Amino acid sequence: MTTAEIPFKIDIPDSKLSLLKQKLALTTFPDELEDAGREYGAPLADIQRLVARWRDGYDWRKHEAELNAELPQFMKDIEVEGFGTLAIHYVHKKSEVEDAIPLLFVHGWPGNFLEVRKILPLLTAASPDHPSFHVVAISMPGYGFSDGPTKKGFRFPQYAEVANKLMLALGYDQYVTQGGDLGFFVTRKIANMYGGKHSKAWHTNFPRLPNSSPPKLFSRPLAYLTHILTPYTEAEKAGLARTDWFEKLGRGYFMEQSTQPQTLGYGLTDSPAGLLAWIYEKLVNWSDDYLWDDDEVLTWVSTYWFSRAGPAASLRIYYEMVQGNERGHEDTSIPLGFSYFPKELFNVPKRWHKASNLVFESEHTAGGHFAAHEKPELLVNDLRAMFGKGGPAFGIVPGKAGYR
Amino acid sequence: MRCFWNMTRISELIPVQNSFSHTSTLATMAPQETPFQIAIPAEQIALLRKKLELTVLPDELEDAGREYGASLSDIRRLVTRWKDGYDWRKHEAQLNTELPQFTTDIEIDGFGTLNVHYVHKRSDVVDAIPLLFVHGWPGSFLEVRHILPLLTESSPKHPSFHVVAFSLPGYGFSEAPKKKGFELTQYAELGNKLMTALGYNEYVTQDGCWGHLVSEYYHPNNRCKLRGEHSNAWHTNAPMAPPPHPISRPLLFLNHLIFGYTPKEKAGFERSLWFRNKGNGYYHEQSTQPQTLGYGLTDSPVGLLAWIYEKLVNWTDDYPWDDDEVLTWISIYWFSRAGPAASVRIYFEVNKAYPNLLEGATSKTTIPMGYSYFPKEIVKLPKRWLRAPNLVFESDHTSGGHFAAHEKPKELVDDLRKMFGKGGPAFGVVHGRSGYDPQSRL
């Protein structure tokens, strides 16, 4: 049942801009150990430079206008069982191709709807050589300009419910999804709850299967033999080292956010420098030597600073998913596609993955966690290959093959 | 089981020192004590107020309680008080009156000279036992405040102590190290050099952490023997040990399989599990990305307040914190010489230097050891896991948590008096300093 779309333009009040400036002007910086580099966290020189730019020079209004021009945005009230109505912010762009494939893009943390920016024109472009998509990029509750939930217990089923209801309200009874980071978990939940009926296939750049660990002798004897007899390639070794690094040194944020998000939230809400550092460290460490432009970073972080629900709200999903035990094993049955980027945080040998519904795999030699932002062409090529003519999920949405 | 970093039994790790004569520097004041008074510049107080005035608070989920972290109503109330009403100068003056403070330069191998801030109070009893009190995180030298008068007071009925409570480098008004790699060995070196500089060639230590586990596992056996020359005994209110294991602790493992645990022990497990599942997020961030965390702690008073206050509440046993008491505690961090970001680096350094600290470590300390058990300590293990040949003193309490010296000063001091007093298992452990006046040494 389609409901009307209410256009939305980002328009941060002047009072918020001036408060930000006041706070930036009062920023107190810590010191740093000699030769710390990035080993102890976000480097002082970077943060000082970014704060100075944010205070003098960075022009939010200019970037706000660009976002409004590039990304057609809307608001819609969605009712969530047990949680009342949430105002949901989303980007929606239709392709000229009428039978384009409806695609729901779900961001993660510390990402947001901005991550659709570069892939949007590529996905919606029309061509006889590849499929086109109608794209919906939702701001998850607690992110961007969506409301945050006000009650405890808003978990993946609720995020999935919001997303599915949004797609249905836009007239997309059947669709496919793309997601990474938390978007992986949300789209997996969508696949479980609405797979077959509404969600027809799902693609992720965060390839994490519940059984993605070395094959065990008794459960997968042939795979086990291959595993112990075949040496790892250099790329695989690098991937395992990356995974190990993240496990040992990269998950502090996760441990705090999933146990005491409110405690962390005070500093992120009150200190622009604190919020900047918390996010910037991940933008650098999780990407593959991506050349962040200072204003690019500041726009990204400003979206958190100016978010409707405030930055503290964005953390609570971690608490809910861990305390609600939601990251474990979940089989899905609809077709699944993986894109492997070498600097993703979880990068294990492909042969460890086993899923009967894994119909598409694509491996890359560059790119990290923020695939849509770092490698938009590579990601879109993968989606075109998976869903286009000759691809394993061609025509998966009946009547919407993606071509004229 | 992951552990927390509070403070170590730093004196456990004292590296080999030159031998001193035991009778050398007994009665006189140590040379070169430079008195210190806390005197925070007016500009710093003004800046704090400006920042507090600009505080932006997050929202909170309905009925969140303390489940998601420090509660909004508490933090809002504390921020309001800190901004209007809390009088730092008054508390600063009280601290200066109650706690005789000093600074001194200490040279640390490979790190140059650090100016160290400490409290030093001597008992009237000349032969009082020198005691080094070591605070942890998020504590400070303030933690000696309640126990100081009790420890130094003289009586024929119990031993007295000369007390030194230093601010760890990066805390309070001590300088912080500038280079990477300042870990347990360095803290131990510093503690020992401070005590010997003050004329305390032998002493005992009290602290609240798992120093136990950072003992011989990482240091050759000969250090342990030699260490007896300086630190003669130690007492902790936060004992730790690795769990029963079929290979590394087989007898205990057998015991574990055969005998059950008491309700009190089970409650202890629950407490430990709570800490492991909900309470050690700070530890993971501080031990991996301390600089990232440091920006918010340095720039936002409410950010720092919440980060610490959550622990003051969760780690204590329903201690009725007074708002000004909390704000004084936090202000020490806010106004600290090195800034709050410096205080969390110790977690990184220790985690890096000893990545497998808790796995397989068994106590190989040999100097007499004493444990005080408080029910709300954040890691509570069954006593039989903690027993060791040199554990000479144990004391059980029915209330109290992690900040024992602050919450239960009388109980903690009673324990120390029992352990070190006449008839106690560690009586006379420091040569020539029994803790009593000669005429009462009957």
Side-chain angles (χ1 to χ4, degrees), chain A residues 56-305:
Chain A
D56 298 305
Y58 175 76
D59 182 357
W60 166 258
R61 290 291 182 213
K62 170 180 145 210
H63 293 280
E64 185 182 67
E66 277 171 18
L67 287 175
N68 287 334
E70 277 175 49
L71 303 175
Q73 300 159 67
F74 305 85
M75 297 293 298
K76 189 174 281 298
D77 283 345
I78 306 272
E79 169 109 18
V80 183
E81 252 184 81
F83 289 87
T85 302
L86 296 177
I88 299 299
H89 166 252
Y90 62 98
V91 174
H92 183 200
K93 185 157 181 174
K94 288 178 91 83
S95 170
E96 281 168 23
V97 175
E98 203 184 311
D99 295 334
I101 309 161
L103 180 142
L104 170 68
F105 174 80
V106 186
H107 68 82
W109 184 95
N112 50 44
F113 71 97
L114 289 191
E115 287 180 88
V116 81
R117 200 173 181 178
K118 296 183 189 180
I119 58 173
L120 193 61
L122 301 171
L123 287 169
T124 52
S127 161
D129 300 324
H130 62 68
S132 308
F133 301 83
H134 300 312
V135 179
V136 177
I138 183 176
S139 281
M140 290 208 286
Y143 292 75
F145 302 101
S146 290
D147 275 340
T150 51
K151 292 203 179 88
K152 303 189 284 195
F154 199 96
R155 299 193 178 132
F156 287 143
Q158 282 70 45
Y159 289 96
E161 183 185 333
V162 169
N164 186 60
K165 280 180 170 168
L166 177 64
M167 292 304 272
L168 298 185
L170 295 178
Y172 301 127
D173 190 64
Q174 299 188 316
Y175 53 87
V176 302
T177 65
Q178 204 291 323
D181 192 81
L182 292 170
F184 160 81
F185 292 99
V186 171
T187 53
R188 181 178 74 177
K189 185 58 75 175
I190 291 172
N192 268 320
M193 287 168 66
Y194 309 106
K197 180 158 190 223
H198 297 299
S199 176
K200 302 300 286 180
W202 62 297
H203 174 278
T204 182
N205 48 293
F206 189 73
R208 211 194 141 88
L209 283 174
N211 53 350
S212 294
S213 53
K216 305 268 186 322
L217 172 61
F218 294 110
S219 53
R220 295 175 65 191
L222 290 179
Y224 175 75
L225 281 175
T226 313
H227 164 68
I228 59 170
L229 294 175
T230 316
Y232 290 131
T233 64
E234 286 310 309
E236 285 173 329
K237 283 188 204 160
L240 285 169
R242 175 75 166 165
T243 307
D244 192 59
W245 162 80
F246 182 68
E247 187 64 27
K248 295 212 169 86
L249 294 180
R251 289 180 81 241
Y253 79 98
F254 181 96
M255 298 305 292
E256 180 66 11
Q257 292 176 196
S258 60
T259 56
Q260 307 281 347
Q262 188 71 13
T263 293
L264 174 64
Y266 294 100
L268 298 187
T269 309
D270 187 54
S271 166
L275 177 69
L276 168 65
W278 197 258
I279 292 178
Y280 178 72
E281 170 215 304
K282 284 81 181 167
L283 297 185
V284 173
N285 288 352
W286 296 5
S287 59
D288 187 5
D289 290 332
Y290 178 76
L291 296 169
W292 292 96
D293 173 68
D294 283 355
D295 283 8
E296 190 180 12
V297 170
L298 293 172
T299 301
W300 191 293
V301 177
S302 292
T303 315
Y304 270 86
W305 183 261

Side-chain angles (χ1 to χ4, degrees), chain B residues 155-173:
Chain B
S155 160
K157 299 210 198 91
H158 62 68
S160 307
F161 300 83
H162 300 312
V163 179
V164 177
F166 73 113
S167 289
L168 297 177
Y171 292 72
F173 303 101

Side-chain angles (χ1 to χ4, degrees), chain B residues 98-99 121 131-134 141-153 161 163-165 206-207 235 237 403-414 416-417:
Chain B
E98 279 175 47
L99 303 175
K121 187 158 178 167
L131 181 142
L132 174 66
F133 175 80
V134 187
F141 68 96
L142 285 193
E143 286 180 86
V144 80
R145 200 173 181 177
H146 296 165
I147 58 174
L148 192 63
L150 299 172
L151 287 170
T152 52
E153 111 193 345
F161 300 83
V163 179
V164 177
Q206 203 291 322
D207 57 63
H235 174 278
N237 45 288
F403 299 102
H406 193 78
E407 291 174 75
K408 300 286 174 192
K410 188 174 178 313
E411 288 79 355
L412 186 68
V413 172
D414 278 347
L416 292 169
R417 290 171 175 172

